[in-house]
Amino acid sequence: MASPPCIHVVLFPFMSKGHTIPIFDLARILLNRKIAITIFTTPANRPFFANSLSDTNINIIDIPFPENIQGIPAGVESTDKLPSMSLFVTFANTTKSMKPHFEKALQSLLPITFMVTDGFLVWTLESANKFGIPRLAYYGMSAFSSAMSHSAGSVLQTEVSDDEPFAVPNFPSIKLTRNDFDFPFRERESKGPLFEFTMEAIIATSKSYGLLVNSFYELESVYADYCNRISTSKSWCVGPFCAVHEPPKEKQETLEKPSYIKWLDEMLEQGKPVLYVAFGSQAELSPEQFKEIKIGLEKSEVNFLWVVRRSAISEPNDEFENRVKNRGLVMTEWVDQREILSHGSVQGFLSHCGWNSVIESICAKVPILAWPMMAEQHLNARMIVEVIKIGLRVETCDGSVRGFVKWEGLEKPIRKLMEGEKGKEAMKKVKEIGVAAINAVKEGGTSWQALNELIHELSGRGQV
């Protein structure tokens, strides 16, 4: 009797750490099911891929990234290295010229069972169709933010003011404001390059086989069901991807602990809870806002580990680090965020509410102090604080969701999260949801079953 054909999956994440790291986790999930994986990247990103996937047999293919793009320095092949996020659309549209190289490589890899490509790589749908390969899109967004964006669209076209709360159609218990949506989608008449690019991506996703969501059904059942009612392509909640990845034991034992983990170990030994502070690699904060953050952290008197870009923190004659050296650590190098969140000393996370950070915090059972900055982060913050109630929110000086945060508006909620009753309630809730997250990806869990169903549909092999 002939053996069943091998399942071969192609993955192509967008050139951004926040989009790439979850795809590494997805690759490991698929590997656990004895699926062959080929992952695509560009030459400058290949070392990061090779290092991150060094313990696997994943096939990595790099294809040339376009050169001589106006406004983008030579050698920049990832959004976290862009001089400004205002160049995002230029960067994303430029990837379209990678298509011939991608298709040439695909042809050499056939047969391919299905491909998972980032929603921003719109052009990969045409490549998939050319070779008859089912394409699943991936954005790294929650079902909640997708549902809110769709459902609130009709209200945003009215005269509702920027900070006037309105009940979301189809979800009357949820109140949002125009300012919870990013430009240009918050405008009464959305237009411009970013809007056009986003619509192109949405249309391509609607024509794809489906959409992979890095979440789990128990967390977002109402919103996932809504997305599936309004969309022509099915959303599959198959996460959290990060809940299944554990670094190999031999790697853990041989590598020396990073300095920040040693510092967290000391805090744990002394029984001192730590607030982890990180706003992602793309947040752009003014010098005035950084100054208020420093004052707020200092006056809160809590222990903290703050990860920040070197260019943002370094100021002449800045004595901040000296003043807080016994209870605060500032890191300007890359850190392993999951390792930090899962450390026993970390009891809170001051976060920009990017979806990766939210889902990692849930899996680590750490409550969040929400400070959204851009993209759909304001919607994620609403979900965290008002819907699933696993955190609190910083206070802006004018009460608006996009207002300036003075040190008092940071110091007070930090204390509440780390020491107050509301913080204890958030901790209790995130522990419950964290258990559900981990159970979802275990054999028999909702995400495990959803992935099984998807692979079964696409491979025709039955259960895997």
Side-chain angles (χ1 to χ4, degrees), residues 115-249:
M115 67 166 71
V116 180
T117 66
D118 198 283
F120 292 157
L121 300 174
V122 177
W123 48 272
T124 57
L125 175 63
E126 288 180 11
S127 303
N129 290 342
K130 181 176 179 178
F131 295 103
I133 305 166
R135 182 239 185 182
L136 289 145
Y138 171 77
Y139 286 95
M141 286 171 60
S142 63
F144 175 84
S145 60
S146 296
M148 293 303 107
S149 298
H150 181 275
S151 199
S154 58
V155 182
L156 296 175
Q157 290 168 12
T158 69
E159 295 302 310
V160 63
S161 63
D162 287 355
D163 290 302
E164 178 187 345
F166 62 84
V168 180
N170 306 303
F171 305 98
S173 65
I174 296 172
K175 301 284 194 294
L176 297 176
T177 69
R178 185 180 293 280
N179 266 333
D180 283 305
F181 297 86
D182 214 8
F183 180 83
F185 312 102
R186 58 189 301 284
E187 302 298 299
R188 288 170 185 84
E189 289 184 32
S190 297
K191 57 187 176 183
L194 180 57
F195 177 72
E196 289 164 13
F197 173 77
T198 305
M199 292 311 298
E200 195 181 349
I202 289 169
I203 291 165
T205 300
S206 73
K207 293 177 179 177
S208 298
Y209 189 88
L211 175 69
L212 284 193
V213 184
N214 186 11
S215 187
F216 56 107
Y217 189 70
E218 290 86 344
L219 182 68
E220 305 197 85
S221 57
V222 173
Y223 314 107
D225 288 345
Y226 174 81
C227 290
N228 278 327
R229 281 199 305 275
I230 57 139
S231 178
T232 53
S233 58
K234 183 175 177 180
S235 292
W236 303 76
C237 290
V238 293
F241 300 160
C242 63
V244 294
H245 173 45
E246 289 178 18
K249 281 185 182 162

Side-chain angles (χ1 to χ4, degrees), residues 11 13 17-33 35 37 39 48-49 52-53 55-56 58 116 138 212 214-215 238-248 334 336-339 355-357 359-360 363 441 451:
L11 305 176
K17 294 284 194 300
H19 288 238
T20 298
I21 292 169
I23 294 299
F24 290 165
D25 293 327
L26 174 63
R28 292 173 187 279
I29 293 169
L30 295 171
L31 276 180
N32 287 343
R33 294 176 182 242
I35 290 172
I37 308 289
I39 192 164
F48 178 64
F49 278 58
S52 301
L53 301 171
D55 58 318
T56 73
I58 291 170
V116 180
Y138 171 77
L212 284 193
N214 186 11
S215 187
V238 293
F241 300 160
C242 63
V244 294
H245 173 45
E246 289 178 18
W334 186 88
D336 186 331
Q337 177 161 289
R338 284 184 214 163
E339 192 176 12
W355 186 243
N356 287 339
S357 291
I359 211 77
E360 286 173 5
C363 289
V441 297
L451 184 59

